[in-house]
mmCIF file of all heavy atoms in Angstrom:
data_model
loop_
_atom_site.group_PDB
_atom_site.id
_atom_site.type_symbol
_atom_site.label_atom_id
_atom_site.label_comp_id
_atom_site.label_asym_id
_atom_site.label_seq_id
_atom_site.Cartn_x
_atom_site.Cartn_y
_atom_site.Cartn_z
ATOM 1 N N PRO B 4 40.013 17.158 3.286
ATOM 2 C CA PRO B 4 39.144 16.043 3.686
ATOM 3 C C PRO B 4 38.655 15.275 2.470
ATOM 4 O O PRO B 4 38.551 15.823 1.365
ATOM 5 C CB PRO B 4 37.985 16.763 4.393
ATOM 6 C CG PRO B 4 37.972 18.140 3.803
ATOM 7 C CD PRO B 4 39.394 18.468 3.505
ATOM 8 N N PRO B 5 38.358 14.004 2.622
ATOM 9 C CA PRO B 5 37.812 13.227 1.508
ATOM 10 C C PRO B 5 36.416 13.733 1.137
ATOM 11 O O PRO B 5 35.747 14.407 1.929
ATOM 12 C CB PRO B 5 37.757 11.798 2.068
ATOM 13 C CG PRO B 5 37.697 11.977 3.560
ATOM 14 C CD PRO B 5 38.505 13.205 3.852
ATOM 15 N N ILE B 6 35.991 13.398 -0.063
ATOM 16 C CA ILE B 6 34.688 13.845 -0.537
ATOM 17 C C ILE B 6 33.595 13.057 0.195
ATOM 18 O O ILE B 6 33.566 11.827 0.157
ATOM 19 C CB ILE B 6 34.569 13.629 -2.054
ATOM 20 C CG1 ILE B 6 35.662 14.420 -2.774
ATOM 21 C CG2 ILE B 6 33.204 14.062 -2.563
ATOM 22 C CD1 ILE B 6 35.709 14.186 -4.266
ATOM 23 N N THR B 7 32.723 13.777 0.859
ATOM 24 C CA THR B 7 31.648 13.140 1.606
ATOM 25 C C THR B 7 30.525 12.710 0.661
ATOM 26 O O THR B 7 30.414 13.234 -0.460
ATOM 27 C CB THR B 7 31.081 14.105 2.656
ATOM 28 O OG1 THR B 7 30.487 15.224 1.975
ATOM 29 C CG2 THR B 7 32.179 14.595 3.588
ATOM 30 N N PRO B 8 29.677 11.776 1.084
ATOM 31 C CA PRO B 8 28.526 11.400 0.245
ATOM 32 C C PRO B 8 27.636 12.593 -0.082
ATOM 33 O O PRO B 8 27.087 12.678 -1.183
ATOM 34 C CB PRO B 8 27.787 10.363 1.104
ATOM 35 C CG PRO B 8 28.839 9.786 2.001
ATOM 36 C CD PRO B 8 29.779 10.921 2.285
ATOM 37 N N GLU B 9 27.486 13.517 0.875
ATOM 38 C CA GLU B 9 26.655 14.700 0.624
ATOM 39 C C GLU B 9 27.270 15.570 -0.474
ATOM 40 O O GLU B 9 26.564 16.065 -1.364
ATOM 41 C CB GLU B 9 26.502 15.519 1.907
ATOM 42 C CG GLU B 9 25.725 14.820 3.017
ATOM 43 C CD GLU B 9 26.535 13.787 3.752
ATOM 44 O OE1 GLU B 9 27.774 13.772 3.575
ATOM 45 O OE2 GLU B 9 25.939 12.994 4.511
ATOM 46 N N ALA B 10 28.612 15.778 -0.410
ATOM 47 C CA ALA B 10 29.278 16.581 -1.432
ATOM 48 C C ALA B 10 29.223 15.888 -2.786
ATOM 49 O O ALA B 10 29.057 16.545 -3.819
ATOM 50 C CB ALA B 10 30.728 16.842 -1.032
ATOM 51 N N ARG B 11 29.344 14.589 -2.782
ATOM 52 C CA ARG B 11 29.274 13.832 -4.034
ATOM 53 C C ARG B 11 27.890 13.992 -4.673
ATOM 54 O O ARG B 11 27.762 14.179 -5.882
ATOM 55 C CB ARG B 11 29.583 12.362 -3.760
ATOM 56 C CG ARG B 11 29.736 11.492 -4.997
ATOM 57 C CD ARG B 11 30.080 10.075 -4.586
ATOM 58 N NE ARG B 11 31.375 10.021 -3.928
ATOM 59 C CZ ARG B 11 32.529 9.849 -4.566
ATOM 60 N NH1 ARG B 11 32.524 9.716 -5.883
ATOM 61 N NH2 ARG B 11 33.659 9.792 -3.896
ATOM 62 N N GLU B 12 26.860 13.937 -3.865
ATOM 63 C CA GLU B 12 25.498 14.093 -4.374
ATOM 64 C C GLU B 12 25.271 15.518 -4.878
ATOM 65 O O GLU B 12 24.630 15.727 -5.924
ATOM 66 C CB GLU B 12 24.486 13.769 -3.272
ATOM 67 C CG GLU B 12 23.029 13.958 -3.666
ATOM 68 C CD GLU B 12 22.588 13.054 -4.805
ATOM 69 O OE1 GLU B 12 23.259 12.027 -5.048
ATOM 70 O OE2 GLU B 12 21.575 13.369 -5.456
ATOM 71 N N ALA B 13 25.827 16.504 -4.155
ATOM 72 C CA ALA B 13 25.693 17.898 -4.601
ATOM 73 C C ALA B 13 26.406 18.106 -5.937
ATOM 74 O O ALA B 13 25.910 18.832 -6.807
ATOM 75 C CB ALA B 13 26.265 18.842 -3.539
ATOM 76 N N ALA B 14 27.568 17.479 -6.109
ATOM 77 C CA ALA B 14 28.288 17.585 -7.378
ATOM 78 C C ALA B 14 27.496 16.943 -8.509
ATOM 79 O O ALA B 14 27.464 17.458 -9.633
ATOM 80 C CB ALA B 14 29.663 16.932 -7.252
ATOM 81 N N ARG B 15 26.844 15.828 -8.221
ATOM 82 C CA ARG B 15 26.033 15.161 -9.251
ATOM 83 C C ARG B 15 24.862 16.056 -9.677
ATOM 84 O O ARG B 15 24.555 16.174 -10.868
ATOM 85 C CB ARG B 15 25.506 13.829 -8.728
ATOM 86 C CG ARG B 15 24.757 13.006 -9.772
ATOM 87 C CD ARG B 15 24.073 11.816 -9.137
ATOM 88 N NE ARG B 15 23.028 12.239 -8.206
ATOM 89 C CZ ARG B 15 21.822 12.641 -8.584
ATOM 90 N NH1 ARG B 15 21.513 12.704 -9.870
ATOM 91 N NH2 ARG B 15 20.938 13.008 -7.692
ATOM 92 N N GLU B 16 24.232 16.710 -8.695
ATOM 93 C CA GLU B 16 23.123 17.608 -9.017
ATOM 94 C C GLU B 16 23.599 18.794 -9.866
ATOM 95 O O GLU B 16 22.901 19.239 -10.786
ATOM 96 C CB GLU B 16 22.473 18.109 -7.725
ATOM 97 C CG GLU B 16 21.719 17.010 -6.963
ATOM 98 C CD GLU B 16 21.133 17.518 -5.665
ATOM 99 O OE1 GLU B 16 21.332 18.719 -5.361
ATOM 100 O OE2 GLU B 16 20.493 16.727 -4.943
ATOM 101 N N LEU B 17 24.795 19.310 -9.558
ATOM 102 C CA LEU B 17 25.340 20.391 -10.371
ATOM 103 C C LEU B 17 25.540 19.936 -11.814
ATOM 104 O O LEU B 17 25.204 20.648 -12.762
ATOM 105 C CB LEU B 17 26.672 20.867 -9.791
ATOM 106 C CG LEU B 17 26.633 21.787 -8.571
ATOM 107 C CD1 LEU B 17 28.037 22.029 -8.036
ATOM 108 C CD2 LEU B 17 25.974 23.118 -8.908
ATOM 109 N N SER B 18 26.096 18.748 -11.988
ATOM 110 C CA SER B 18 26.370 18.252 -13.334
ATOM 111 C C SER B 18 25.099 18.012 -14.132
ATOM 112 O O SER B 18 25.107 18.076 -15.363
ATOM 113 C CB SER B 18 27.189 16.959 -13.265
ATOM 114 O OG SER B 18 27.540 16.511 -14.552
ATOM 115 N N GLU B 19 23.998 17.754 -13.447
ATOM 116 C CA GLU B 19 22.732 17.507 -14.135
ATOM 117 C C GLU B 19 21.953 18.794 -14.399
ATOM 118 O O GLU B 19 20.927 18.760 -15.070
ATOM 119 C CB GLU B 19 21.874 16.555 -13.298
ATOM 120 C CG GLU B 19 22.415 15.128 -13.250
ATOM 121 C CD GLU B 19 21.549 14.207 -12.411
ATOM 122 O OE1 GLU B 19 20.679 14.731 -11.668
ATOM 123 O OE2 GLU B 19 21.730 12.983 -12.492
ATOM 124 N N ASP B 20 22.439 19.915 -13.876
ATOM 125 C CA ASP B 20 21.722 21.183 -14.018
ATOM 126 C C ASP B 20 22.094 21.852 -15.332
ATOM 127 O O ASP B 20 23.267 22.199 -15.540
ATOM 128 C CB ASP B 20 22.069 22.094 -12.843
ATOM 129 C CG ASP B 20 21.230 23.369 -12.830
ATOM 130 O OD1 ASP B 20 20.449 23.582 -13.784
ATOM 131 O OD2 ASP B 20 21.343 24.138 -11.865
ATOM 132 N N PRO B 21 21.157 22.071 -16.247
ATOM 133 C CA PRO B 21 21.495 22.772 -17.499
ATOM 134 C C PRO B 21 22.018 24.187 -17.254
ATOM 135 O O PRO B 21 22.710 24.737 -18.110
ATOM 136 C CB PRO B 21 20.155 22.804 -18.253
ATOM 137 C CG PRO B 21 19.315 21.740 -17.630
ATOM 138 C CD PRO B 21 19.742 21.669 -16.198
ATOM 139 N N ALA B 22 21.704 24.775 -16.102
ATOM 140 C CA ALA B 22 22.150 26.135 -15.793
ATOM 141 C C ALA B 22 23.441 26.143 -14.982
ATOM 142 O O ALA B 22 23.757 27.138 -14.311
ATOM 143 C CB ALA B 22 21.061 26.880 -15.023
ATOM 144 N N LEU B 23 24.227 25.069 -15.040
ATOM 145 C CA LEU B 23 25.431 24.944 -14.224
ATOM 146 C C LEU B 23 26.396 26.111 -14.424
ATOM 147 O O LEU B 23 26.862 26.721 -13.459
ATOM 148 C CB LEU B 23 26.129 23.619 -14.548
ATOM 149 C CG LEU B 23 27.555 23.420 -14.025
ATOM 150 C CD1 LEU B 23 27.604 23.585 -12.512
ATOM 151 C CD2 LEU B 23 28.090 22.058 -14.433
ATOM 152 N N LEU B 24 26.723 26.439 -15.663
ATOM 153 C CA LEU B 24 27.683 27.520 -15.895
ATOM 154 C C LEU B 24 27.144 28.863 -15.418
ATOM 155 O O LEU B 24 27.897 29.685 -14.879
ATOM 156 C CB LEU B 24 28.039 27.590 -17.379
ATOM 157 C CG LEU B 24 29.236 26.743 -17.816
ATOM 158 C CD1 LEU B 24 29.464 26.866 -19.314
ATOM 159 C CD2 LEU B 24 30.489 27.148 -17.061
ATOM 160 N N HIS B 25 25.854 29.096 -15.613
ATOM 161 C CA HIS B 25 25.263 30.332 -15.118
ATOM 162 C C HIS B 25 25.359 30.382 -13.592
ATOM 163 O O HIS B 25 25.641 31.453 -13.016
ATOM 164 C CB HIS B 25 23.806 30.422 -15.562
ATOM 165 C CG HIS B 25 23.099 31.649 -15.056
ATOM 166 N ND1 HIS B 25 23.473 32.919 -15.431
ATOM 167 C CD2 HIS B 25 22.059 31.790 -14.188
ATOM 168 C CE1 HIS B 25 22.687 33.796 -14.818
ATOM 169 N NE2 HIS B 25 21.841 33.149 -14.059
ATOM 170 N N ARG B 26 25.156 29.261 -12.929
ATOM 171 C CA ARG B 26 25.269 29.223 -11.472
ATOM 172 C C ARG B 26 26.702 29.513 -11.025
ATOM 173 O O ARG B 26 26.923 30.207 -10.024
ATOM 174 C CB ARG B 26 24.810 27.858 -10.954
ATOM 175 C CG ARG B 26 23.313 27.653 -11.034
ATOM 176 C CD ARG B 26 22.914 26.258 -10.581
ATOM 177 N NE ARG B 26 23.252 25.999 -9.186
ATOM 178 C CZ ARG B 26 22.991 24.836 -8.562
ATOM 179 N NH1 ARG B 26 22.412 23.851 -9.242
ATOM 180 N NH2 ARG B 26 23.310 24.682 -7.306
ATOM 181 N N ALA B 27 27.690 28.972 -11.749
ATOM 182 C CA ALA B 27 29.091 29.226 -11.394
ATOM 183 C C ALA B 27 29.415 30.716 -11.519
ATOM 184 O O ALA B 27 30.041 31.303 -10.633
ATOM 185 C CB ALA B 27 30.011 28.401 -12.289
ATOM 186 N N ILE B 28 28.973 31.332 -12.617
ATOM 187 C CA ILE B 28 29.227 32.761 -12.821
ATOM 188 C C ILE B 28 28.545 33.581 -11.731
ATOM 189 O O ILE B 28 29.122 34.537 -11.190
ATOM 190 C CB ILE B 28 28.731 33.170 -14.219
ATOM 191 C CG1 ILE B 28 29.598 32.514 -15.291
ATOM 192 C CG2 ILE B 28 28.730 34.683 -14.380
ATOM 193 C CD1 ILE B 28 29.066 32.671 -16.695
ATOM 194 N N ARG B 29 27.316 33.190 -11.391
ATOM 195 C CA ARG B 29 26.579 33.918 -10.348
ATOM 196 C C ARG B 29 27.249 33.742 -8.982
ATOM 197 O O ARG B 29 27.304 34.675 -8.178
ATOM 198 C CB ARG B 29 25.137 33.399 -10.318
ATOM 199 C CG ARG B 29 24.189 34.252 -9.480
ATOM 200 C CD ARG B 29 22.792 33.703 -9.620
ATOM 201 N NE ARG B 29 22.728 32.325 -9.137
ATOM 202 C CZ ARG B 29 21.784 31.446 -9.485
ATOM 203 N NH1 ARG B 29 20.837 31.798 -10.330
ATOM 204 N NH2 ARG B 29 21.784 30.223 -9.002
ATOM 205 N N THR B 30 27.777 32.550 -8.705
ATOM 206 C CA THR B 30 28.437 32.300 -7.419
ATOM 207 C C THR B 30 29.684 33.162 -7.274
ATOM 208 O O THR B 30 29.958 33.712 -6.196
ATOM 209 C CB THR B 30 28.808 30.810 -7.299
ATOM 210 O OG1 THR B 30 27.617 30.017 -7.384
ATOM 211 C CG2 THR B 30 29.502 30.529 -5.980
ATOM 212 N N ILE B 31 30.470 33.302 -8.346
ATOM 213 C CA ILE B 31 31.650 34.169 -8.288
ATOM 214 C C ILE B 31 31.220 35.614 -8.041
ATOM 215 O O ILE B 31 31.902 36.368 -7.334
ATOM 216 C CB ILE B 31 32.466 34.038 -9.591
ATOM 217 C CG1 ILE B 31 32.970 32.601 -9.750
ATOM 218 C CG2 ILE B 31 33.646 35.013 -9.599
ATOM 219 C CD1 ILE B 31 33.588 32.299 -11.100
#
């Protein structure tokens, strides 16, 4: 499916989070 506005906004919030990599490791 195409990227929804909600997913786009969630991706933007991830990119602005200084703890992004820590969140990725925790999610795995």
